[in-house]
Amino acid sequence: MDPSGFTTVTQALPPWDARASLAEIAASLDGVGFRLIDLLDLDRPPPAGRTDGEWILGQLVKASLLNYEGEVARADGVLSAARSAAERDDGLAREWLATIAYVQGVTSLRRGEVENCLHCLGASACILPISRDAVHAHPAGSRAAVERFTEILEAELRDGLPDDVEVLWLLNLAHMTLGEWPDRVDPRFRLPLDGFLSAEEPSVPRFDDVSGIVGLDRMNEAGGAILEDLDGDDLLDAVLSTYEASESLAVYRNRGDGTFLDCTATAGVADQKGALNCVQTDFDNDGRPDLFVVRGAWLPHPMRPSLLRNRGDGGFEDVTRAAGLAQPLNSNSASWADYDNDGLLDVFVCCERQPNRLYRNRGDGTFFDVAPRAGVAGSDTMVKGAAWLDYDNDGWEDLFVNVLAGRARLYRNARDGTFREVTEPMGIDGPGFGFSCWAFDFDNDGWLDIFATCYQRTTAEIVKGLLGKPHGMDRCRLYRNLEGKGFRDIAKEAGLGDVYGTMGSNFGDIDGDGLLDIYLGTGEPSLASLVPNRMFRNLGGGRFQDVSSATRTGHLQKGHGVSFGDWDRDGDLDILVELGGSVPGDRYHTVLFQNPGNPGASHRWLTLKLVGARTNRAAIGARIKVVTDGDPPLTIHRHVSTGSSFGANPLEQTIGLGRARRIALLEIRWPASGTTQSFRDVPLDTRIEITEFADAWRPLATSRVGLPR
């Protein structure tokens, strides 16, 4: 039983016309949970004289649909009535008591969130370990959850059943929200979480959520997140999308005074509704970041994407139809690159119910699908993520595809407009149940590696990882590039072998040591899935350490689009996370984790903005090498991309340089021209712009942005 009602709603959605507008689709989805209650006749009273299992099942479905719509008090009332009826009945209906108690417990936990967390815009809200100032001031919801989960566990104990790890976790979590963990948890049911909850790690920054202070506290369902300079003022702006069909894309302008201004209306995107993900591009090479918005994920019927051209006056123009991109699809993600090195950005669109699309850019504002000819249309369903990478360093972009209902695939660019699948020969063996993915050089050896998340999960299996116990499911893959000759999965030995339930995710250097770290969002639709998002610190390019508690980034709300970027211009990477579940009753506000800098070291940094001339102007695919003189000396490799397939980092590259004394060498390798630029003795702690073929770099503004007083 899914207490969120998500599965019931998506399976019962009526089709909409392929030509329907986004507003018409939103109208057809508005209040669908309430309409399903009427359609399924779930308001009928129990049969006269007896209570049967079919009626109780209907009440459980009704409660789930009310939770879907955010009506937790009404859902609780329905569950109470169903419980009373089951308790009066001596027959089959009594067998439903455990299920009713479970849904009651989950609903009560959500009630606690609604009454305490949804509008609590503080640095500690919903973050593990739950601090004293985040303990629920209105305890009724969590108190009721403790009673229901204790009831279930005691019954299972009497019946000699094995440990119910999910219910144990939810019970312990409810006690945490009441400030009662661990001392007031029944010793029979207390989980040994001290190892995960330990916050002792002085070498990493401790982030604070400043979203409410800076004006980015938008209340959304699941969605995408972008940090990018949209208006050319050298400040990172923010874009947020949301899965909720009646809500629009949101654009926030960075004012430079520590606050963001909601420009959704003036940017002309208020009619861009209902999108799980979005990414920036520059499809027309005019130097102004455009937006590409994908829709239809998880739905039985397709929806059109949107290509929004940046007009340069603060607004965007919908050019989807004119560009030839208006065909409705079921898509979760899209990735832009210049796969044919003609200086124009093309886009691969991951599809769930259709063949994948590879839209080639003609250069006149239009695109056409070449996926079948190129050999990347695929025969899989539920393709959830893709990453472009030049894995063999031949100057041509190859393609990695992560598949939910199948196995991951790797395609090598044949340089003639086609791709050859090299999955097995290159050592790619999964994951199954794939979701978001990316390419990065995590070990700084000059060869791009692959991280592919796995979405096979249960709450119980995720919790086993928090407890340091083995699990029985598939896992993420961290593919180390063996100098272009193959890949070897080192996820387990690198400390990334647990179950995480990852949807949104991304990477960035949180501590300025020149190594890329990882943030994983946990986006399971079920209201019962209250597990922390996870931060992993890169230790020397060979192992990752879970620092979720130490960094105060282990947020319990559903994590979707993730973006690392230096919004406050202090030289370290902050993290924008679009939180909230996939149903209207599981909304949450966006979080902006501000990085205070590494407390134990004075790490230096460099931010690069690259401008292509023969290469695409956004410089996507360009490679960067930085060699420092310091203690120790470092060689750092980066490539220009938006990062993960679910969440979009800025195209500028903020590079931590550790304890560098100087930058001995900076090299840029441009894919379309095949040229390499070299610069020596570039200043530390600065922002610069480098244009392809230019003899010198250009300084950019470096004024720090402080929080408002």
Side-chain angles (χ1 to χ4, degrees):
M1 173 61 65
D2 175 12
S4 72
F6 178 80
T7 302
T8 304
V9 166
T10 54
Q11 290 178 345
L13 284 175
W16 44 76
D17 189 287
R19 296 166 295 179
S21 68
L22 297 177
E24 290 169 334
I25 294 173
S28 73
L29 294 175
D30 185 46
V32 66
F34 298 130
R35 286 186 276 122
L36 278 175
I37 291 172
D38 294 335
L39 180 66
L40 299 174
D41 195 21
L42 298 177
D43 281 325
R44 67 184 186 279
R50 66 184 183 89
T51 304
D52 61 13
E54 182 181 352
W55 180 83
I56 288 184
L57 177 60
Q59 298 311 290
L60 288 167
V61 170
K62 179 179 177 180
S64 295
L65 291 172
L66 289 170
N67 279 333
Y68 177 93
E69 296 290 353
E71 296 285 344
V72 290
R74 289 178 61 188
D76 190 56
V78 168
L79 292 166
S80 295
R83 182 185 181 94
S84 296
E87 289 173 336
R88 290 194 303 268
D89 190 271
D90 293 328
L92 181 65
R94 291 190 62 82
E95 298 180 9
W96 286 96
L97 280 176
T99 303
I100 294 171
Y102 170 78
V103 181
Q104 281 184 307
V106 173
T107 301
S108 295
L109 268 185
R110 184 59 189 169
R111 174 187 167 192
E113 294 174 77
V114 170
E115 294 177 349
N116 295 274
C117 305
L118 262 62
H119 302 287
C120 182
L121 300 177
S124 301
C126 289
I127 293 173
L128 287 185
I130 293 176
S131 63
R132 185 174 303 174
D133 59 350
V135 169
H136 286 187
H138 305 285
S142 288
R143 184 66 63 202
V146 166
E147 294 176 5
R148 295 287 75 79
F149 295 136
T150 301
E151 170 194 341
I152 294 170
L153 292 169
E154 287 180 336
E156 292 176 343
L157 196 62
R158 289 193 302 270
D159 293 340
L161 297 176
D163 287 346
D164 190 332
V165 177
E166 177 179 323
V167 176
L168 283 168
W169 164 254
L170 294 174
L171 172 67
N172 280 258
L173 184 59
H175 275 295
M176 290 180 200
T177 66
L178 296 168
E180 298 175 352
W181 190 90
D183 297 336
R184 294 182 61 185
V185 182
D186 187 321
R188 299 173 298 168
F189 307 135
R190 185 188 304 139
L191 289 178
L193 294 161
D194 304 75
F196 174 75
L197 295 177
S198 173
E200 296 301 320
E201 182 51 63
S203 62
V204 295
R206 181 186 173 105
F207 290 76
D208 284 332
D209 173 18
V210 298
S211 57
I213 300 173
V214 304
L216 270 177
D217 53 327
R218 195 174 190 88
M219 189 70 69
N220 268 350
E221 288 184 33
I226 300 170
L227 283 173
E228 188 59 82
D229 178 10
L230 301 176
D231 52 8
D233 64 356
D234 285 336
L235 295 168
L236 294 181
D237 310 300
V239 180
L240 303 170
S241 71
T242 176
Y243 193 52
E244 191 164 4
S246 61
E247 295 297 321
S248 75
L249 195 71
V251 174
Y252 287 86
R253 180 177 176 269
N254 188 337
R255 287 184 169 117
D257 62 358
T259 66
F260 288 81
L261 175 67
D262 186 346
C263 296
T264 301
T266 56
V269 300
D271 59 346
Q272 297 294 328
K273 300 181 183 296
L276 186 58
N277 204 359
C278 53
V279 67
Q280 75 272 39
T281 182
D282 184 3
F283 77 93
D284 52 3
N285 277 340
D286 65 356
R288 298 190 290 260
D290 311 300
L291 304 175
F292 189 64
V293 183
V294 292
R295 300 184 176 89
W298 303 112
L299 296 175
H301 318 300
M303 297 175 69
R304 74 165 179 88
S306 292
L307 178 63
L308 307 177
R309 186 180 70 84
N310 190 329
R311 297 194 308 254
D313 60 0
F316 292 85
E317 175 188 5
D318 189 337
V319 296
T320 316
R321 194 166 300 281
L325 298 174
Q327 183 177 12
L329 302 169
N330 297 98
S331 179
N332 190 92
S333 186
S335 185
W336 291 77
D338 179 10
Y339 78 91
D340 52 2
N341 275 339
D342 65 353
L344 300 165
L345 286 173
D346 316 294
V347 60
F348 180 84
V349 183
C350 305
C351 292
E352 297 177 353
R353 294 174 177 268
Q354 306 85 18
N356 300 315
R357 303 303 199 260
L358 176 57
Y359 289 110
R360 183 171 182 267
N361 192 336
R362 287 189 174 101
D364 60 359
T366 68
F367 295 77
F368 64 106
D369 181 23
V370 298
R373 177 184 178 277
V376 295
S379 57
D380 301 295
T381 57
M382 300 299 285
V383 177
K384 302 301 288 185
W388 293 99
L389 73 159
D390 177 9
Y391 75 80
D392 50 5
N393 286 352
D394 67 351
W396 294 77
E397 296 283 349
D398 311 300
L399 180 65
F400 177 83
V401 176
N402 218 13
V403 183
L404 186 71
R407 309 293 288 181
R409 298 181 184 274
L410 179 64
Y411 298 93
R412 184 175 186 272
N413 194 327
R415 311 187 201 181
D416 60 0
T418 68
F419 293 78
R420 178 169 60 90
E421 187 182 338
V422 294
T423 306
E424 292 185 12
M426 293 300 292
I428 303 296
D429 66 348
F433 306 93
F435 211 95
S436 55
C437 60
W438 64 71
F440 65 161
D441 188 354
F442 78 92
D443 52 4
N444 278 331
D445 66 352
W447 298 88
L448 286 172
D449 313 295
I450 299 170
F451 186 71
T453 69
C454 175
Y455 195 52
Q456 189 181 31
R457 80 284 172 207
T458 65
T459 298
E461 296 299 307
I462 294 171
V463 172
K464 286 179 182 178
L466 303 180
L467 298 171
K469 294 182 177 181
H471 63 84
M473 290 189 164
D474 201 356
R475 53 176 174 74
C476 301
R477 302 290 195 274
L478 175 59
Y479 287 114
R480 171 172 272 157
N481 190 332
L482 305 177
E483 297 186 349
K485 300 178 179 64
F487 290 88
R488 184 170 74 88
D489 174 31
I490 64 164
K492 191 172 182 179
E493 63 193 79
L496 296 168
D498 288 332
V499 176
Y500 306 115
T502 304
M503 277 196 179
S505 59
N506 224 316
F507 62 88
D509 180 2
I510 63 168
D511 51 4
D513 64 354
L515 295 163
L516 293 169
D517 312 298
I518 291 173
Y519 191 75
L520 304 179
T522 53
E524 159 69 50
S526 173
L527 297 182
S529 182
L530 280 169
V531 291
N533 299 300
R534 310 286 283 276
M535 177 75 83
F536 292 92
R537 180 191 179 201
N538 189 333
L539 300 177
R543 185 166 178 81
F544 288 81
Q545 173 192 17
D546 190 333
V547 292
S548 309
S549 294
T551 55
R552 298 292 295 162
T553 56
H555 212 291
L556 283 167
Q557 298 295 330
K558 312 295 192 304
H560 290 91
V562 178
S563 181
F564 285 75
D566 182 15
W567 80 273
D568 53 2
R569 293 309 189 206
D570 62 355
D572 53 46
L573 292 176
D574 313 292
I575 310 172
L576 177 68
V577 188
E578 173 71 343
L579 296 176
S582 54
V583 303
D586 201 11
R587 301 181 184 94
Y588 197 74
H589 70 86
T590 304
V591 162
L592 179 62
F593 286 121
Q594 186 176 39
N595 191 335
N598 193 308
S602 300
H603 280 177
R604 315 306 292 268
W605 56 275
L606 174 69
T607 295
L608 293 176
K609 179 181 179 181
L610 301 184
V611 180
R614 186 176 302 168
T615 297
N616 67 88
R617 185 156 179 177
I620 289 175
R623 304 289 284 271
I624 301 165
K625 178 181 177 180
V626 183
V627 180
T628 73
D629 177 12
D631 182 20
L634 299 175
T635 299
I636 300 167
H637 292 272
R638 296 285 186 270
H639 86 299
V640 178
S641 77
T642 56
S644 170
S645 61
F646 200 164
N649 291 343
L651 293 171
E652 68 174 31
Q653 301 294 304
T654 295
I655 303 171
L657 302 175
R659 298 178 183 273
R661 289 189 289 267
R662 68 185 184 97
I663 297 174
L665 175 66
L666 170 62
E667 286 186 354
I668 314 297
R669 191 166 81 239
W670 299 90
S673 65
T675 58
T676 299
Q677 289 168 291
S678 298
F679 303 91
R680 298 188 181 277
D681 295 316
V682 175
L684 296 167
D685 304 337
T686 191
R687 299 178 62 249
I688 64 173
E689 179 180 278
I690 297 175
T691 299
E692 189 175 13
F693 305 124
D695 294 328
W697 49 266
R698 183 175 74 88
L700 297 174
T702 57
S703 298
R704 182 169 179 168
V705 175
L707 291 175
R709 294 184 181 275

